[in-house]
Structures are given as C-alpha cells and as structure tokens.
Amino acid sequence: KLIYVGKKGGDPNSTSQESIESLLLELVRKDKRIVRLKGGDPFVFGRGGEEALFLAEHGIRFEIVPGITAGIAAPAYSGIPVTHRGMAAEVTFITGHEDPTKDQQDISWKAVAELSGTVVLFMGVKTLPEISSLLIRYGKRASTPVSVIRWGSTAQQQVVSGTLASISEEVKKAKLTPPALTVIGEVNRLRSKLKWFEEKPLFGKTVLVTRARKQASQLGDWLESLGAHVLELPTIEISPIKNNSNLDRAIEKIKNYDWLVFTSENGVEAFFERLKKLKKDSRILSTVRIAAIGPGTKAKLNSYLIEPNLVPKTFTTEGLIRTLEKVKPSKKRFLLLRTNIAPDLLNRSLKKFGAEVSEIPIYKTEKPKNLIGKTREIMQNHSIDYVTFTSSSTAENFFNSLRNDRHLGAKIL
C-alpha cells in the first residue's frame, strides 16, 4: 500500500509532521512492515532524526538507509562539484528556510560569510534576497558565483546562474519556484565545462509513451537515459486469451509447420508461458523455422535462448512480407501467433504467395478504461514534445481519445 505524506511549503493541505509520526505508530501497532521513503538523505534536512526519535521513544525498532543528499546530487547533475582542489576545501549545508530577518536566529550569517568554501542552501528560494544581502553586508564578495538549482537530477532540472549581487533578480526573471537549492562559491565557475546532464540529446524534452504498461517502463528508462522527461499513457492493455484450445492443438502439432511467425514481444511471451503451462519447452521447436518482425521481438526470443532464422531489415509488416517472399513460401505451412486485432495483410500476402496459413490470436489488445479522461489530464497539464507509438493500435486509440474528447479535441485537431 502506498500512502502519500508529502509536504509543500506554504500549502495548508500539506501533511503535518505530527500526523506522519502518528501514522507510523498506528501502522506499527497493526504489525505492518513499513518503509518511510524520503528524497535525498533522511538525516540531511529531511526530518528523519525527528521521526527516528519518535519511534525510539515508543520502543519501536527501525533501520536507517542512508541516501544521497540533494546538497551533493543536484550540484553534481548541474556540473558543480561542491569541493574542488584550489577552489573549495570545505562544503557547508545550511537551511535557507529560516527567516534571516527575525530577531533570534539559529544561524550566524556573519560566520557563513566568512567561510571560504562552498555553501549549499536548502529551501532558500523565498529568503534568497535577504540571505544574499546579509552575506554581502558581512563581507562576502558581491561577485561570488551562485547557482540556483530547481528539480535537480530530474529531467525537469533548471539552473539559474549569477552572482551574490544578481542572483535574486535572475531567479525572479526565470520565475523559478521551489523546490530548489542554492550553491554559493567559486566551484560554480566549473559548471560551463562540466554540465554533462543538460548536454544529453533529449534533455528538456517531454516524451509521451503510449505503449502498454508492461513495456512502457523499458522504453521510458531508455528515453530517460537520454535526458527526457517521460510521461506514460498506455493506450492499449494486453491481456491473455481465456480459451487456449486452438493454441494448444497447434503446439501439439508444431512439427507439422515449416514457419512460426512472431510479430511482437507479447506474442513471444504468451507462447512460452503457454508452453510452460503445458509442461513443454523450446525443444519442440527444433524442426520449425522462426521469423521475428524486429529487434525487440528477436531480443525477447533470445531471452528464451531462441535465435530467429529471419528478421527483416525494415521492422514493419510490409518489411516482414518482403523478406518472407524471398524464402519461397509457396506450399509451406505458416503459423502466425498474434493479437486478436492484428491486420490481415500478413495472412493475405502469404496465401497469395501460395503458403498455407494458420493464424491464432495468442493475446488480446484492448483499449484501457477512461482513456479519454487520462489523455485530457496529461494534455492539459503538460507540454508534450514527442509522442511515441509502437503499433497501429496505440496510435489509433490515442488519436480517437482526442477526437472524442469534447473538452479538448476541437483545440488540437
């Protein structure tokens, strides 16, 4: 069970610290095993110490798993090493949440101004003008380089650079809002040469993935490795065929076929799942040749230690047809294992070449429930740069959801 207890500065609806601690106690008393998941490191401005003390005072055993604090991670993703030979031999983490103008302060800004190394301010966007003024007043050079990092280490990362004198105005111009942290010190001068993350080819781009949920994460991980901000909107759902009698008969007579053709990873997975249920394995395929429509399907076959005999250079149904034509399919027996809504182009073409074709739906492709509402929510709340489609059904369902949305379709089509 997932329970959201996030906080947002200034939001009266944010979860209070007291209610989080009470919830932990309540769940423990119900004999639940709990993971209290936090961003960054729980003991660096994460209030993890408070929660651990609360648990200790109630005799509750716990384990601390250290994380990587945003004070190190966000600068690293921005090309700013918090320490560097000849520039900074020390780094200091300070909360910027404290009002620097209040009478009684926990932080000595005069002492901070005298530090020669890097200073990292957490949660200091709103108080940045006052903090900058105080540091300059206490002797910090107005020309000291400063960077403010929003959503550090994510594809939505935004970095605003300036000096101690100019940074507040630069942040205002950029309309930068929390969550963000501020890095003060000479190490910021290295950013122009070290900003590796923002140099990724898809950094700053938002990509909508319409693939079925199971495969969406694999594609999303690859896109994120290129720097993209990935949104998932599965426009198809894959489900098993309830009646497998036709497939079972084909498996029993698999040696009667010359070619077994897979046009998706889902088909491969469904086939081998059925083999497993029937207590059979890939040895039954020793006499049949296997065709895969593309590298994804080939990779899925490889995961079952099967190397396909044929993969077209063009990864489409048309490309597969042209390649199969070259193997002289006349009078050969083909078994096509596909989705329930597969176009009949492959079937018709093979028959035209003189082949004998058996086609069996091995899994179902369906439209998800409330796709119109989910599409509307994403399109209204995000600016999309690219939309990916891995099949005709993903594209058809996506565009139909736009056309049929009275609130959104007219504005887009």
Side-chain angles (χ1 to χ4, degrees):
K1 185 176 181 180
L2 302 176
I3 303 174
Y4 177 73
V5 292
K7 292 188 175 77
K8 289 183 180 179
D11 185 348
N13 297 318
S14 286
T15 312
S16 70
Q17 190 63 37
E18 293 75 16
S19 63
I20 293 173
E21 292 165 2
S22 297
L23 180 60
L24 289 172
L25 183 59
E26 176 189 335
L27 293 172
V28 167
R29 285 174 173 168
K30 291 180 178 177
D31 291 328
K32 302 296 183 184
R33 291 171 60 85
I34 305 154
V35 172
R36 171 69 172 107
L37 188 62
K38 291 175 170 284
D41 183 277
F43 276 14
V44 181
F45 298 120
R47 303 190 76 169
E50 295 174 46
E51 292 176 20
L53 279 173
F54 175 84
L55 297 174
E57 288 165 0
H58 287 81
I60 297 167
R61 288 180 296 130
F62 56 87
E63 178 183 354
I64 304 296
V65 180
I68 300 175
T69 173
I72 293 172
Y77 269 71
S78 305
I80 305 168
V82 291
T83 64
H84 188 79
R85 188 182 295 270
M87 281 189 174
E90 62 188 46
V91 57
T92 306
F93 295 156
I94 299 174
T95 177
H97 196 58
E98 184 184 47
D99 183 357
T101 62
K102 68 181 183 181
D103 295 334
Q104 188 66 36
Q105 295 182 9
D106 295 324
I107 299 170
S108 169
W109 294 105
K110 184 176 185 299
V112 173
E114 293 171 353
L115 293 171
S116 60
T118 306
V119 174
V120 178
L121 296 175
F122 285 70
M123 305 166 289
V125 175
K126 292 180 180 178
T127 55
L128 186 57
E130 291 81 7
I131 291 173
S132 299
S133 296
L134 279 174
L135 292 176
I136 292 172
R137 185 195 307 170
Y138 286 127
K140 200 79 170 171
R141 286 185 298 106
S143 59
T144 302
V146 181
S147 295
V148 179
I149 307 162
R150 183 177 190 270
W151 285 110
S153 81
T154 76
Q156 296 164 284
Q157 176 174 298
Q158 185 179 359
V159 183
V160 175
S161 299
T163 64
L164 207 53
S166 68
I167 193 63
S168 296
E169 189 59 33
E170 296 296 335
V171 166
K172 187 177 178 182
K173 280 183 195 174
K175 298 180 180 179
L176 207 71
T177 57
L181 58 74
T182 303
V183 182
I184 303 170
E186 294 301 311
V187 289
N188 286 290
R189 299 188 189 279
L190 299 172
R191 172 171 152 73
S192 61
K193 295 181 179 179
L194 302 182
K195 52 179 181 178
W196 61 277
F197 186 51
E198 291 157 66
E199 299 298 325
K200 290 196 170 193
L202 291 179
F203 180 80
K205 301 296 183 183
T206 298
V207 182
L208 183 63
V209 175
T210 60
R211 207 173 188 185
R213 180 75 66 191
K214 195 169 184 179
Q215 288 93 20
S217 296
Q218 182 182 359
L219 176 58
D221 288 347
W222 179 72
L223 289 167
E224 285 179 349
S225 74
L226 297 176
H229 174 217
V230 177
L231 300 171
E232 291 186 10
L233 176 70
T235 59
I236 58 170
E237 284 183 352
I238 305 300
S239 57
I241 296 287
K242 291 182 180 178
N243 185 351
N244 290 289
S245 57
N246 289 336
L247 177 58
D248 291 352
R249 282 194 291 271
I251 289 173
E252 292 296 333
K253 298 179 180 179
I254 199 73
K255 292 184 179 180
N256 293 340
Y257 293 98
D258 299 292
W259 281 92
L260 178 58
V261 181
F262 291 104
T263 57
S264 73
E265 298 172 43
N266 294 308
V268 174
E269 189 169 352
F271 176 76
F272 281 94
E273 281 296 315
R274 196 62 198 164
L275 279 190
K276 186 177 178 181
K277 287 276 174 64
L278 296 173
K279 300 190 183 316
K280 298 179 184 294
D281 59 36
S282 57
R283 285 176 292 182
I284 71 167
L285 302 176
S286 60
T287 61
V288 64
R289 305 190 81 193
I290 297 173
I293 196 169
T297 307
K298 176 183 181 295
K300 180 59 74 171
L301 283 164
N302 290 162
S303 72
Y304 291 100
L305 302 181
I306 298 293
E307 182 65 29
N309 303 90
L310 182 152
V311 181
K313 291 182 179 178
T314 305
F315 315 133
T316 62
T317 300
E318 291 79 2
L320 181 59
I321 291 168
R322 286 194 296 270
T323 308
L324 285 171
E325 185 180 8
K326 295 176 182 177
V327 301
K328 299 179 181 179
S330 179
K331 297 182 181 179
K332 298 286 175 48
R333 300 192 69 189
F334 284 77
L335 176 59
L336 312 184
L337 300 179
R338 311 171 74 193
T339 175
N340 61 315
I341 61 169
D344 65 349
L345 177 61
L346 179 59
N347 192 327
R348 286 189 291 105
S349 298
L350 286 171
K351 287 179 178 177
K352 185 179 177 182
F353 299 148
E356 185 179 335
V357 182
S358 298
E359 182 166 358
I360 299 175
I362 196 169
Y363 64 93
K364 290 170 65 177
T365 302
E366 301 173 303
K367 184 168 75 172
K369 294 177 181 177
N370 192 29
L371 181 58
I372 290 176
K374 292 174 182 176
T375 303
R376 180 194 309 145
E377 182 181 355
I378 279 187
M379 300 300 286
Q380 287 180 339
N381 295 324
H382 300 275
S383 177
I384 310 296
D385 296 292
Y386 301 101
V387 183
T388 66
F389 301 108
T390 53
S391 66
S392 58
S393 53
T394 58
E396 184 177 357
N397 289 346
F398 174 75
F399 286 107
N400 282 343
S401 69
L402 293 180
R403 291 190 187 97
N404 295 327
D405 187 349
R406 292 171 300 170
H407 303 283
L408 193 62
K411 296 179 183 177
I412 287 183
L413 298 178

